[in-house]
Amino acid sequence: MFILLGCSKEETNEEAGKTIDKIGYGDLLKVWRKWFMLMIWTVAGEMIVAVIVMKLFSSYESVFTWFNMYVLHIFILIAGFFSFIVLSVKCKKVQVKKC
């Protein structure tokens, strides 16, 4: 059996936060929604930066000349890497412990 420790609102040294004994789909959906929205915004930010860099340093005239599924896949992999870093830094108390 596993327990899920929630993230506390106050920064204290003691192990604060509520303990969720039974982990359901609702608990996992909250974390998944935050991760998914962070991925969407990170890929959008990468696209904006890529368009700016392409306009400044290349001869491509439009986005559709260089954008394809391979570039999108690379952007998603980079966004996934940064999203795990951001989520682990943002909430350090969320963890699964074995009983």
Side-chain angles (χ1 to χ4, degrees):
M1 180 178 194
F2 294 99
I3 59 171
L4 179 69
L5 299 177
C7 204
S8 64
K9 298 293 181 187
E10 304 95 19
E11 293 294 325
T12 59
N13 289 338
E14 63 187 43
E15 199 168 69
K18 63 180 183 176
T19 301
I20 304 169
D21 291 325
K22 295 181 181 177
I23 302 171
Y25 286 116
D27 301 322
L28 298 177
L29 284 177
K30 292 175 190 175
V31 176
W32 184 82
R33 255 187 246 131
K34 289 180 185 179
W35 175 76
F36 190 65
M37 288 305 295
L38 182 62
M39 287 279 292
I40 291 172
W41 283 106
T42 308
V43 169
E46 290 173 359
M47 284 294 298
I48 291 170
V49 169
V51 166
I52 291 170
V53 168
M54 288 296 162
K55 288 285 185 181
L56 292 176
F57 300 113
S58 73
S59 62
Y60 291 120
E61 293 184 14
S62 69
V63 174
F64 299 109
T65 57
W66 60 269
F67 183 74
N68 55 21
M69 285 303 293
Y70 301 112
V71 174
L72 180 63
H73 186 72
I74 291 170
F75 283 166
I76 290 172
L77 289 175
I78 294 170
F81 175 74
F82 287 117
S83 69
F84 283 122
I85 293 172
V86 169
L87 284 179
S88 66
V89 167
K90 183 175 178 167
C91 192
K92 295 179 182 177
K93 290 286 184 182
V94 174
Q95 53 187 322
V96 177
K97 288 188 175 181
K98 193 170 184 175
C99 293

